[in-house]
Structure formats: structure tokens, C-alpha cells
Amino acid sequence: MIILKSPEEIDRIRRAGRITAAAVEELMEAVKPGMSTADLDDVAEKRIRGAGAIPSFKGYRGFPATICTSLNNEVVHGIPSQKRLLVEGDLLSLDVGAVWEGYHGDSAVTVFVGSPPSDVAEKLVRVTEDSLEAGIAQLKIGGRLSDVGHAVQQVAEGAGFSVVRDYAGHGVGRALHEDPQISNYGEPGRGPVIKPGLVVAIEPMVNVGTWRTRVLADRWTVVTADGELSAHFEHTIAITDDGPEIVTARSSN
Ligand code: MG
Ligand code: MG
């Protein structure tokens, strides 16, 4: 069942979204060779709790950390670790969620540790972010939700990459994951009609090689089936009477 949020609820989601975005920005600035992914987790947890919010992911179905840190061939849900030190050229996806007064924001970015290791890695990150923007551009009142995934797929596959099919965007707000599920591929003109009060997380995961994935023995970390690189970008968007509003927008890029 799709839960449409009241303007008062959207105000709280805005606040959660701003806190989430601030944590993402602080992480992007903090990333450097030699630090561990657990160090990054500490940065995000302090930022979120310092703003009076709670990490959405910690304890979610037993997830042990504040953020997901997914490196190189890891797609999503990587677990921060003191043992994993960042090295120059790593491609790092950071996924952050914060809950403020019971309402969630959810956002992800992919960055390089230092310089991109290859032209294809650099292109992958740019195209994945472009695909998110193309998806968000379809969140027009009166449109249909499958228009989003169709636009994402066009951009990603048009650049020669593939779109992960095993994981999708979702409604968000009162819970981290709500209906509807929003696939990153498929035919346009289907699914629920986009209307004010809808709040969604759009999150394309784009791979250099096959779209197929598998889950590691830790039962969380999702990796590409062929070991090739993957990137992930996500924003939380509220549909208001004035149209879509990216509540996790960052002040600098
Ligand atoms: Mg997320
Ligand atoms: Mg999400």
C-alpha cells in the first residue's frame, strides 16, 4: 500500500533529508587513502547523531553499521570494517540514511579515492549520476512511476553499461523501505500515478559488465557476478503540490 504523506510529514522528511545530505557531504570530504571504511562510518554516525537524528540502517534487519560502504565490484550493502583501508583509485559507494522524529531520508553517492583508476571507471560514475537525474526528471505529477526506471535504463544502457535488476528504489518516509518498489528498468507508462504526497528514493545501480549480482557469505555485501565495477547514486524526492523536491540535495555538487 502506498502511503501519501501530509505536508507536515514532508516537512519532517525534509529535515531528515538535510541531515542525510550533510552526512554524505562530510563523508565525501573525509574520503582519503589510508583511512578505513569503519572510520567513515564513525564520521557519519557522529554527524547524524549530532544533528539529533538516528542512523536508519544501524540494526535494520541486523545491519551492523550507520552507512554502507561498497568498493569497486561491490554494488550495495557493503559493511564498514576497520580492516579495509582505502587505497588510491578505489571506487567507493557510500549509502546513508537518517531518521528524524520518525521520518527517514536515504541517499547514496559514488566517489573515487584520489583519482579515477581508468576512463571506464570515470565514465561509469558520471553515467550513473546522469541516470539518476534522468529518472528524477520523470517524477512529474500525472506521470507514471515506471517512466523513472525506463529513463534510467535508457541512459545507462545507452552508454554501454547495464542496470542492476535485483535491487530497486522504493517509497520512503515513515519507514526506510515502503511501497512502491521502483525498478531501474522496464517499459514506461506503467505503475502508480505520480501525485503530491508521494515520497520516493530513486537509486540506480549501474554495472560495467553484466547486470547480474550475487551476495557474499556475510549475507549483506552485493557484488557484480562478473567482478566488474559498479556505481550507485540515490536521492530522496518528495512530490509536493509544486512538483518534485530533492530533499537530500547537497549544497556542493
Ligand atoms: Mg540508500
Ligand atoms: Mg534506498
Side-chain angles (χ1 to χ4, degrees), residues 2 13 15 26-27 34 37 39 44 46 82 95 107 167 188 191:
I2 297 172
I13 294 167
R15 178 82 174 255
E26 191 166 338
L27 287 169
T37 51
D39 294 336
K46 285 196 180 81
Q82 284 175 345
D95 197 347
S107 185
Y167 303 88

Side-chain angles (χ1 to χ4, degrees), residues 18-68:
R18 280 201 299 272
I19 293 166
T20 302
V24 170
E25 285 184 310
E26 191 166 338
L27 287 169
M28 292 170 84
E29 284 170 21
V31 167
K32 56 178 176 291
M35 77 188 304
S36 72
T37 51
D39 294 336
L40 289 172
D41 196 72
D42 287 343
V43 166
E45 182 163 15
K46 285 196 180 81
R47 181 75 190 213
I48 289 167
R49 293 196 191 277
I54 298 166
S56 296
F57 304 167
K58 203 164 197 175
Y60 180 83
R61 297 188 181 177
F63 189 77
T66 290
I67 61 173
C68 300

Side-chain angles (χ1 to χ4, degrees), residues 53-100:
I54 298 166
S56 296
F57 304 167
K58 203 164 197 175
Y60 180 83
R61 297 188 181 177
F63 189 77
T66 290
I67 61 173
C68 300
T69 52
S70 306
L71 284 149
N72 302 318
N73 64 313
E74 296 171 356
V75 179
V76 287
H77 305 165
I79 301 172
S81 163
Q82 284 175 345
K83 291 184 197 145
R84 181 51 163 99
L85 303 183
L86 300 178
V87 297
E88 174 84 21
D90 271 338
L91 180 154
L92 171 63
S93 297
L94 299 159
D95 197 347
V96 182
V99 53
W100 189 79

